[in-house]
Amino acid sequence: MENHFQCLEKIIKERRSHRIYEDREVEREKLEKILELAMWAPSAMNRQQWFFVVVGGERLKTLKEIISKSFDKILPRLEKFYSNNPKVISFTKQFFQTLGNAPVVIFAYYTPTGDDYSDVQSVSAAIQNLILAAHTLGLGTCWMTGPVHVEKEINEVLGIKDKKLVAAITVGYPAKKPPTPPRNFEGKVVWML
């Protein structure tokens, strides 16, 4: 049991958000595996209301143009949180325009049940499983919420109706290893045992 925990701890601590990918296709078997493990996530009342669309090739080129438009919607938040670091803002803009050369983007949706709060949490748990599974297979990912601002246009390209977009996840082989961001544990937990 100790060994399992150490493996899980290592996976969680080593996983990073990747924004630059190699010019290399991702094997379908790996995509199928990470999606299978995504769907082993817990879900509210076990409704398993997630829905994924895996996109690459020519359709992804069209979606890149649409996703790049969502940068303007998140720019005010970036300027608020990174006003003293304009490099982060310009790098984020570039990522939204190119998706870091990712060969695949997975669009994570939920089928509405009337409980949006629980639906989003359930899909988010599945996304967490997906990105951890991808890391164990040598793949990099980046969980993007900005594209929800252009959901209508994305849905038109994908032919999606009656579903709500939660995130777009870029997937590919990392071209470089991002630095480890510091973690602040101070004041994040209150013990009342």
Side-chain angles (χ1 to χ4, degrees), residues 95-116:
F95 178 64
F96 269 69
Q97 291 170 339
T98 66
L99 299 180
N101 195 37
V104 174
V105 175
I106 299 174
F107 293 87
Y109 289 86
Y110 66 83
T111 303
T113 65
D115 183 3
D116 289 343

Side-chain angles (χ1 to χ4, degrees), residues 15-18 21 26 31 34-35 38 50-56 60 67 95 99 102-109 123-135 139-148 154 165-172:
R15 188 219 56 85
R16 298 284 171 272
S17 294
H18 294 271
Y21 300 93
V26 176
L31 294 169
I34 65 174
L35 286 160
W50 39 67
F51 182 83
F52 300 97
V53 181
V54 184
V55 182
L60 183 54
I67 290 171
F95 178 64
L99 299 180
V104 174
V105 175
I106 299 174
F107 293 87
Y109 289 86
V123 176
S124 296
I127 294 169
Q128 178 74 0
N129 276 13
L130 186 151
I131 65 177
L132 289 172
H135 174 69
L139 299 171
T141 58
C142 186
W143 180 340
M144 301 175 71
T145 56
V148 299
I154 290 170
L165 182 64
V166 175
I169 303 100
T170 57
V171 183

Side-chain angles (χ1 to χ4, degrees), residues 12 24-26 32 44 54 70 73 81 85 104 119 128 142 151 156 171 182:
I12 289 171
R24 178 178 166 195
E25 293 300 313
V26 176
E32 288 171 353
V54 184
S70 67
K73 301 289 187 183
F81 293 112
N85 195 346
V104 174
D119 293 341
Q128 178 74 0
C142 186
E151 176 180 9
E156 285 173 9
V171 183

Side-chain angles (χ1 to χ4, degrees), residues 57-69:
E58 290 302 312
R59 190 165 291 179
L60 183 54
K61 289 179 184 173
T62 302
L63 288 165
K64 252 186 222 181
E65 293 175 25
I66 294 168
I67 290 171
S68 71
K69 296 177 193 174

Side-chain angles (χ1 to χ4, degrees), residues 3-190:
N3 202 18
H4 292 300
F5 179 80
Q6 289 169 339
C7 288
L8 179 61
E9 181 181 30
K10 181 175 171 23
I11 291 164
I12 289 171
K13 287 183 175 180
E14 287 182 354
R15 188 219 56 85
R16 298 284 171 272
S17 294
H18 294 271
R19 293 177 179 87
I20 303 173
Y21 300 93
E22 292 180 1
D23 187 15
R24 178 178 166 195
E25 293 300 313
V26 176
E27 300 87 343
R28 184 174 177 125
E29 302 79 36
K30 287 187 176 184
L31 294 169
E32 288 171 353
K33 193 65 181 170
I34 65 174
L35 286 160
E36 176 194 344
L37 293 175
M39 293 186 271
W40 276 96
S43 63
M45 291 179 262
N46 197 31
R47 290 187 304 241
Q48 303 176 34
Q49 59 273 55
W50 39 67
F51 182 83
F52 300 97
V53 181
V54 184
V55 182
E58 290 302 312
R59 190 165 291 179
L60 183 54
K61 289 179 184 173
T62 302
L63 288 165
K64 252 186 222 181
E65 293 175 25
I66 294 168
I67 290 171
S68 71
K69 296 177 193 174
S70 67
F71 176 79
D72 291 338
K73 301 289 187 183
I74 68 161
L75 182 57
R77 281 182 23 226
L78 287 170
E79 289 173 336
K80 177 181 176 183
F81 293 112
Y82 296 102
S83 60
N84 62 343
N85 195 346
K87 285 183 180 178
V88 169
I89 297 170
S90 62
F91 182 73
T92 303
K93 182 177 184 177
Q94 180 183 353
F95 178 64
F96 269 69
Q97 291 170 339
T98 66
L99 299 180
N101 195 37
V104 174
V105 175
I106 299 174
F107 293 87
Y109 289 86
Y110 66 83
T111 303
T113 65
D115 183 3
D116 289 343
Y117 186 74
S118 294
D119 293 341
V120 168
Q121 288 188 36
S122 298
V123 176
S124 296
I127 294 169
Q128 178 74 0
N129 276 13
L130 186 151
I131 65 177
L132 289 172
H135 174 69
T136 64
L137 293 176
L139 299 171
T141 58
C142 186
W143 180 340
M144 301 175 71
T145 56
V148 299
H149 296 290
V150 289
E151 176 180 9
K152 185 178 176 188
E153 292 175 71
I154 290 170
N155 290 352
E156 285 173 9
V157 172
L158 299 179
I160 298 296
K161 295 178 181 162
D162 305 323
K163 307 228 181 296
K164 290 293 295 169
L165 182 64
V166 175
I169 303 100
T170 57
V171 183
Y173 285 95
K176 64 183 244 179
K177 184 178 180 181
T180 303
R183 289 289 186 245
N184 178 8
F185 298 101
E186 192 67 35
K188 304 290 183 182
V189 179
V190 174

